[in-house]
């Protein structure tokens, strides 16, 4: 273990000593450059995400006071000052002689709201393991990043840049009415160095966030890797790559500061969103949807041994014209596809619902009575076959066979299928926990899209459906 690792371990030990003694803390995660970098350059901004069950003024002050009691001598920095930054936002306190604990305290509801409003930040946090308690993903998962997220972030970035141009930066901090927390806005004045810092922050995060969306990679790329990645796209302007290079070289103190940084940052942002919109308009779309409801969607296991029709008269639900429509061998899938415009229709038994075997027609209580071992295996996180039927992995194999051998990804396609097939398809595309898949209940005629751009793709889910799924697989649903 080298010197830097010893210092980091000492700091982590002191943090753990503080949080382990607090029964109201359910999760503590150190995120950001302090953990991910090999050295100790992140020591001036040690990002610590703390989740409590329910935040009060007493709990907030107790956690802050405990962190303030950490002594610089305990972590081997006698001549450094320890500071606590408990605000939300981009405030920096780096004067070269500080150890800064950036203490971000949320309760469960506050974390849920943060995930909904700032999925990119929370998604990057999920890449770090907790040092205490459960993971952020278990509390309330981001689920995925999608083009819609980056497009919807434009308004926030524009507001952020207006602040910087006006020489200020806004941030949030807690205030309390009696014991109840509220978040209030505040601001501080910027100097030229901070304007450059935030220009770099904007450009770096936009480039990395788009990379994560279309590759599914959880990790951010380094500067050289980012530049190489974006040179693959002829429509991405070279002058923006050069500006990002200049900012990075300045940040590493290898070059002087680029001139007209705010004008160049605004140009970068406008060009970047034009690039994203051009990419989006040139994609091929693969839509996965659950069939329309039947009378037998009544809480019993409906697989392939009963074959009901859908309720009501089919009517068009979308004006989008798909080239190919795929449906399963079951009536409810065949009948549902007539609600959509398709040039060609293909039937595939690979799209069938899971075979529930002898559990067909039972509800969960009857299943537990007749086949108690099935439920027992589920509780252990295992994947047993239904008696004389399939397990989830069997369906996953069908999903992969369909995607690899049947689906034409070069054409706009619609897939009308069933609940368990959709769960396994989501597992195939997204970073989901297999043992939580049974919690996902996708509504009829809902699902998700896969947008394909040559070798890259992104999964797009409506905001409402994604919020429902997040709640279903979070601790709120345990």
């Amino acid at each position: 273990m080298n010197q830097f690792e010893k210092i980091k371990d000492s700091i982590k030990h002191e943090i753990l000593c503080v949080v382990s003694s607090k029964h109201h803390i359910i999760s503590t995660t150190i995120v950001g450059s302090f953990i991910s970098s090999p050295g100790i350059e992140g020591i001036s901004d040690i990002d610590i995400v703390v989740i409590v069950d329910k935040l009060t003024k007493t709990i907030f002050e107790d956690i802050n006071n405990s962190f303030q009691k950490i002594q610089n001598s305990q972590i081997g920095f006698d001549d450094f000052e320890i500071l606590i930054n408990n605000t939300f936002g981009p405030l920096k306190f780096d004067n070269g002689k500080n150890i800064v604990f950036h203490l971000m305290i949320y309760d469960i509801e506050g974390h849920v709201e943060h995930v909904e409003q700032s999925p990119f930040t929370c998604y990057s946090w999920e890449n770090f393991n907790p040092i205490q308690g459960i993971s952020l993903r278990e509390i309330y998962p981001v689920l995925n990043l999608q083009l819609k997220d980056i497009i919807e972030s434009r308004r926030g970035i524009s507001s952020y840049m207006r602040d910087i141009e006006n020489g200020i930066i806004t941030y949030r901090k807690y205030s309390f009415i009696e014991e109840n927390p509220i978040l209030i806005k505040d601001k501080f004045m910027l100097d030229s160095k901070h304007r450059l810092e935030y220009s770099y922050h904007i450009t770096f995060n936009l480039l990395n966030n788009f990379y994560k969306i279309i590759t599914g990679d959880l990790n951010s790329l380094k500067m050289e890797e980012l530049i190489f990645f974006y040179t693959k796209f002829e429509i991405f302007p070279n002058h923006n790559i050069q500006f990002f290079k200049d900012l990075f070289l300045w940040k590493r103190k290898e070059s002087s500061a680029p001139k007209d940084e705010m004008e160049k940052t605004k140009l970068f942002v406008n060009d970047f969103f034009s690039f994203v919109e051009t990419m989006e308009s040139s994609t091929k779309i693969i839509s996965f949807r659950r069939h329309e409801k039947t009378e037998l969607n009544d809480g019993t296991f409906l697989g392939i041994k009963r074959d009901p029709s859908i309720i009501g008269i089919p009517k068009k639900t979308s004006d989008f014209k798909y080239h190919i429509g795929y449906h399963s061998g079951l009536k409810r899938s065949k009948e549902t596809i007539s609600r959509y415009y398709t040039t060609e229709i293909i039937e595939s038994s690979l799209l069938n619902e899971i075979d529930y075997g002898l559990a067909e027609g039972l509800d969960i209580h009857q299943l537990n009575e007749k086949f108690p071992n099935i439920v027992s295996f589920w509780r252990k996180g295992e994947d047993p076959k239904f008696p004389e039927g399939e397990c989830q992995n069997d369906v996953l194999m069908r999903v992969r066979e369909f995607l690899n051998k049947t689906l034409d990804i070069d054409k706009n396609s619609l897939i009308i299928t069933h609940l368990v097939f959709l769960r396994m398809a989501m597992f195939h595309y997204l970073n989901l926990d297999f043992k939580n898949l049974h919690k996902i209940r996708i509504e009829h005629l809902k699902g998700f899209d896969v947008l394909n751009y040559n070798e890259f793709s992104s999964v797009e889910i409506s905001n409402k459906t994604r919020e429902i799924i997040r709640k279903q697989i979070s601790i709120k649903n345990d």
Side-chain angles (χ1 to χ4, degrees), residues 213-446:
I213 289 170
I214 65 173
T215 64
D217 189 353
L218 281 170
N219 300 300
S220 295
L221 293 181
K222 296 177 181 177
M223 191 277 281
E224 295 85 354
E225 296 169 326
L226 266 182
I227 290 171
F228 176 75
F229 179 77
Y230 280 93
T231 56
K232 296 179 181 180
F233 302 99
E234 293 181 1
I235 59 173
F236 195 84
N238 285 331
H239 60 261
N240 287 326
I241 293 177
Q242 185 58 53
F243 176 54
F244 178 63
K245 277 185 186 178
D246 293 342
L247 285 170
F248 182 77
L249 292 173
W250 165 80
K251 189 170 177 63
R252 286 206 313 196
K253 298 180 173 60
E254 295 179 11
S255 176
S256 57
K259 296 179 180 178
D260 304 318
E261 74 277 0
M262 288 314 304
E263 288 303 315
K264 289 178 180 177
T265 304
K266 282 194 290 185
L267 178 62
F268 181 99
V269 170
N270 289 333
D271 287 348
F272 179 84
F273 282 104
S274 296
F275 162 73
V276 171
E277 289 163 2
T278 300
M279 289 285 289
E280 184 184 32
S281 66
S282 64
T283 62
K284 296 297 181 184
I285 184 170
I286 312 295
S287 296
F288 292 80
R289 297 290 183 271
R290 189 181 180 190
H291 64 83
E292 177 60 289
K293 191 173 184 178
T294 76
E295 289 183 351
L296 296 183
N297 290 118
D298 56 2
T300 61
F301 292 106
L302 175 60
I304 64 173
K305 289 185 166 53
R306 296 181 293 169
D307 196 14
S309 292
I310 63 175
I311 297 171
I313 300 171
K315 57 182 180 181
K316 298 297 182 188
T317 61
S318 170
D319 293 329
F320 189 84
K321 293 179 173 59
Y322 294 96
H323 187 90
I324 305 178
Y326 300 89
H327 63 75
S328 75
L330 300 166
K331 285 180 186 176
R332 53 194 185 272
S333 175
K334 295 177 185 178
E335 293 169 355
T336 300
I337 207 164
S338 64
R339 288 178 169 268
Y340 299 85
Y341 293 100
T342 56
T343 303
E344 179 184 357
I345 292 179
I346 297 173
E347 179 177 319
S348 173
S349 61
L350 295 172
L351 298 173
N352 282 357
E353 180 58 290
I354 190 171
D355 182 356
Y356 288 113
L358 299 178
E360 179 81 30
L362 303 180
D363 62 27
I364 188 65
H365 302 293
Q366 293 167 329
L367 177 75
N368 199 19
E369 288 175 5
K370 292 191 70 172
F371 307 104
N373 287 342
I374 295 284
V375 177
S376 176
F377 283 131
W378 285 344
R379 286 172 180 157
K380 295 175 184 176
E382 298 179 22
D383 181 36
K385 288 180 183 289
F386 283 91
E388 299 184 20
E390 292 181 303
C391 64
Q392 291 185 113
N393 264 304
D394 293 328
V395 181
L396 181 60
M397 289 173 65
R398 287 199 273 115
V399 167
R400 289 172 174 163
E401 184 177 351
F402 174 80
L403 296 178
N404 293 330
K405 296 182 178 180
T406 304
L407 178 64
D408 187 343
I409 63 172
D410 295 322
K411 294 177 180 176
N412 292 325
S413 299
L414 169 68
I415 299 154
I416 301 295
T417 183
H418 305 266
L419 177 59
V420 178
F421 188 97
L422 283 171
R423 288 173 180 165
M424 295 303 111
M426 292 188 74
F427 176 78
H428 172 82
Y429 285 110
L430 302 177
N431 183 33
L432 300 180
D433 188 340
F434 194 88
K435 71 176 186 293
N436 281 332
L437 294 177
H438 71 279
K439 298 179 182 179
I440 297 175
R441 299 202 61 82
I442 298 171
E443 296 177 10
H444 297 280
L445 300 181
K446 303 297 183 183

Side-chain angles (χ1 to χ4, degrees), residues 186-202:
D186 206 341
K187 60 186 178 182
F188 75 99
M189 305 304 295
L190 287 175
D191 56 23
S192 58
K193 178 188 174 184
H194 281 95
R195 284 199 297 271
L196 284 161
E197 284 280 359
Y198 295 124
S199 291
Y200 176 76
H201 173 83
I202 289 168

Side-chain angles (χ1 to χ4, degrees), residues 150-166:
I150 207 162
I151 291 169
E152 290 176 355
S153 73
R154 185 170 191 169
R155 182 181 299 174
I157 291 170
S158 298
S159 173
Y160 188 47
M161 289 178 59
R162 281 196 298 273
D163 282 349
I164 296 171
E165 282 188 289
N166 292 329

